[in-house]
C-alpha cells in the first residue's frame, strides 16, 4: 500500500508534533465576524501543498509553523495527554428544546464563539419551535469547530452535522488577535502516543499552542496566551 492509499491518521508523538499520514489536505480558515463583532462564518484561506506525510507543530514554538522544526526538544515540551477517552455522548449534557435538542460537552470548548450571537445558542434552542430561532440555532451550533455542540432533531433523533471533507484547517481568530487550534474535519482518526484512539468525530480541535490543559484537545488557552503562528 502506498502512502497515499493509507487511511488518513493523526498520530500524537510523545512530547512532540502531530504526525500526519494519508495525504490529509491542509488549509487556513479564519473566524469571520458580523457587524457586531460576533463570530459568524468561517472564511477559507490559502491551501498548503498536500503531502502524504508531514509533522505539525504541537508545542507552539516552531519557527516554521504550522510545521514542526524540532524546537519541542530544545524547550523540553511537556505534551502529556490529559483529555478523557470517554465518548462524546458520555461527556455531554443535553438541553432539550421544543424541536431541537443541544448536546454540550463543555470540556471540548475551543473558544471560537459561534455560539454567542443573538442571545446565545443555549437560549435559542429553547425557542426552536420558532423558525428564526431554529435557523439561528442550527447556524451557530454547526459552526462550532470542536464539536462541543451537537444538535439533534427531537422527532427523529438524527444529529444535525455539517458536511465536512476530511481535512485539517489551521485556524485564525483576528477578533481575538490570536491564532487558534487545528480544526480536524470529516472524521479523521486521532491516535494517542500510547497507541490508544480517541473517538472519531466529524469536528475536533487539537491544541497547537502548547498551552491547553486538555491535551490533545484545544481548551481555548490560545486566546489568553495570544498565540501567534505568524501565517
Ligand atoms: S490551540 Fe487552543 S489551547 Fe492550544
Amino acid at each position: 500500500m502506498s502512502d497515499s492509499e493509507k487511511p488518513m491518521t493523526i498520530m500524537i508523538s510523545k512530547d512532540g508534533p502531530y504526525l500526519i499520514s494519508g495525504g490529509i489536505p491542509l488549509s487556513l480558515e479564519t473566524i469571520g465576524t458580523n457587524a457586531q463583532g460576533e463570530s459568524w462564518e468561517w472564511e477559507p484561506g490559502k491551501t498548503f501543498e498536500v503531502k502524504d506525510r508531514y509533522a505539525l507543530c504541537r508545542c507552539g514554538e516552531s519557527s516554521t509553523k504550522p510545521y514542526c522544526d524540532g524546537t519541542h526538544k530544545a524547550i523540553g515540551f511537556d505534551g502529556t495527554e490529559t483529555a478523557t477517552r470517554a465518548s462524546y455522548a458520555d461527556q455531554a449534557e443535553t438541553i432539550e428544546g421544543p424541536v431541537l435538542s443541544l448536546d454540550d460537552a463543555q470540556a471540548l470548548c475551543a473558544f471560537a464563539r459561534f455560539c454567542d450571537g443573538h442571545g446565545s445558542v443555549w437560549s435559542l434552542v429553547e425557542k426552536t419551535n420558532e423558525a428564526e430561532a431554529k435557523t439561528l440555532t442550527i447556524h451557530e451550533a454547526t459552526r462550532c469547530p470542536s464539536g462541543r455542540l451537537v444538535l439533534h432533531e427531537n422527532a427523529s433523533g438524527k444529529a444535525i452535522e455539517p458536511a465536512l471533507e476530511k481535512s485539517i484547517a489551521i485556524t485564525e481568530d483576528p477578533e481575538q488577535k490570536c491564532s487558534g487550534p487545528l480544526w480536524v474535519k470529516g472524521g479523521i482518526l486521532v491516535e494517542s502516543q500510547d497507541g490508544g484512539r480517541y473517538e472519531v468525530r466529524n469536528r475536533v480541535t487539537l491544541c497547537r499552542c502548547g498551552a491547553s490543559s486538555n491535551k490533545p484537545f484545544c481548551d481555548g488557552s490560545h486566546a489568553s496566551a495570544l498565540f501567534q503562528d505568524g501565517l
Side-chain angles (χ1 to χ4, degrees), residues 58 110 179-182 206-213 217-223 227:
R58 187 160 76 96
S179 303
L182 300 177
L206 296 177
C207 175
R208 67 179 179 117
C209 74
S212 174
S213 302
F217 303 114
C218 167
D219 72 352
S221 296
H222 57 271
F227 172 58

Side-chain angles (χ1 to χ4, degrees), residues 41-183:
E41 197 57 271
W42 284 101
E43 294 173 355
K46 72 172 177 181
T47 55
F48 296 80
E49 184 193 348
V50 179
K51 300 177 192 161
D52 282 339
R53 292 170 176 270
Y54 51 95
L56 291 175
C57 174
R58 187 160 76 96
C59 71
E61 298 294 333
S62 169
S63 54
T64 58
K65 294 185 200 72
Y67 303 108
C68 169
D69 70 351
T71 299
H72 56 276
K73 284 188 194 140
I75 63 171
F77 174 58
D78 178 359
T80 305
E81 294 165 58
T82 50
T84 176
R85 306 278 171 95
S87 69
Y88 175 79
D90 283 347
Q91 294 182 62
E93 291 176 16
T94 301
I95 298 123
E96 282 192 26
V99 173
L100 304 178
S101 295
L102 182 68
D103 287 347
D104 181 1
Q106 208 176 336
L108 298 176
C109 184
F111 195 54
R113 311 175 310 286
F114 286 93
C115 49
D116 282 342
H118 299 270
S120 96
V121 75
W122 297 272
S123 307
L124 288 166
V125 73
E126 293 181 341
K127 295 185 275 187
T128 44
N129 50 341
E130 298 169 20
E132 190 186 350
K134 183 181 173 190
T135 302
L136 285 168
T137 304
I138 294 171
H139 178 98
E140 296 191 7
T142 55
R143 279 152 182 83
C144 167
S146 68
R148 164 188 171 175
L149 301 171
V150 176
L151 281 173
H152 287 86
E153 293 172 353
N154 291 351
S156 64
K158 194 170 155 269
I160 301 174
E161 275 294 311
L164 298 172
E165 296 289 327
K166 281 186 166 59
S167 59
I168 299 174
I170 306 287
T171 64
E172 305 292 342
D173 189 347
E175 187 69 18
Q176 289 291 314
K177 301 183 173 50
C178 64
S179 303
L182 300 177
W183 182 13

